[in-house]
Amino acid sequence: MKVVLGGSRADVYPGTPFSFYKTPILLYNYNRNDNKQKGHTKMTKMNNKDSLLIETLKPAATSALKNSYAPYSHFHVAAAVLGASGRVYTGVNVENASYPAGICAERNAIFHAVAEGEKEIEAILITGCDEEGKQAYCPPCGVCRQVMREFADPKKLKVIVLSEEGEKVYTLEDLLPDSFGPEKLQV
């Protein structure tokens, strides 16, 4: 990954059409192995690399959110994907009167990346809100997790989900353990 840490901001990848947020962000990292009590989620502070990913992807996803098409659920979702090239791709959920014909924001962003020539993704950030614009926690569905698996190493892919409590960071392996991927087909 072409990341330069320094000061309070990182260098932007060439051709990235967004500016960084100026306010500090409280960051947390969910660790399911520390979950000792049923129903209790322990949060730990995230590292600088996770912070940089959020600074890079959050403005892109937040900006794309207004383009979500959700006339039936009224639940708007946007995603920003960081490709191995360092480019950022966005996608939004697009609903359809024939429900199965719709697409989630995560798959839309990944397919956008693939259409532009990316074959490997390093991170994805997902944000969602209701019709009134209230932030909503929306982890990726099973189909989206499987599509992520196609284009990423599950141990390395960072999946960042925004919520009212802050950002939650997972690896794909946390969300899709014992997954089936291209190597199982010897591709």
Side-chain angles (χ1 to χ4, degrees):
M1 203 166 116
K2 305 170 195 163
V3 174
V4 178
L5 292 173
S8 61
R9 300 286 172 231
D11 291 336
V12 179
Y13 301 107
T16 316
F18 56 84
S19 60
F20 290 115
Y21 281 29
K22 304 281 187 230
T23 56
I25 304 168
L26 181 60
L27 305 174
Y28 294 97
N29 183 26
Y30 174 74
N31 185 341
R32 69 185 180 141
N33 296 328
D34 289 343
N35 189 2
K36 305 288 186 219
Q37 301 170 348
K38 186 174 183 179
H40 176 73
T41 302
K42 182 176 180 180
M43 307 291 272
T44 57
K45 294 226 178 196
M46 294 190 315
N47 64 38
N48 287 339
K49 187 176 179 183
D50 294 339
S51 176
L52 180 59
L53 287 172
I54 291 168
E55 281 189 15
T56 302
L57 298 174
K58 186 175 181 178
T62 303
S63 176
L65 194 56
K66 68 184 177 297
N67 298 323
S68 165
Y69 180 72
Y72 308 107
S73 71
H74 307 288
F75 192 80
H76 302 271
V77 182
V81 168
L82 177 64
S85 70
R87 291 184 59 199
V88 173
Y89 306 89
T90 59
V92 296
N93 62 323
V94 178
E95 295 179 351
N96 190 286
S98 174
Y99 291 163
I103 188 168
C104 298
E106 300 92 327
R107 283 181 285 145
N108 203 338
I110 292 167
F111 296 159
H112 177 194
V114 171
E116 294 293 325
E118 293 282 355
K119 298 296 185 261
E120 185 178 340
I121 61 173
E122 295 186 358
I124 185 168
L125 182 138
I126 306 153
T127 185
C129 67
D130 62 18
E131 197 68 17
E132 287 77 44
K134 182 181 175 193
Q135 180 73 52
Y137 177 68
C138 51
C141 74
V143 173
C144 288
R145 294 174 194 201
Q146 187 60 49
V147 170
M148 289 176 203
R149 176 64 176 87
E150 184 72 19
F151 298 101
D153 179 341
K155 292 179 177 156
K156 294 180 182 176
L157 180 67
K158 294 288 185 156
V159 180
I160 305 159
V161 184
L162 303 187
S163 73
E164 287 182 312
E165 295 82 35
E167 295 85 3
K168 296 182 180 184
V169 177
Y170 308 90
T171 64
L172 181 56
E173 188 174 54
D174 291 334
L175 299 174
L176 192 66
D178 300 320
S179 63
F180 183 84
E183 73 283 351
K184 304 288 186 195
L185 298 173
Q186 301 175 354
V187 173

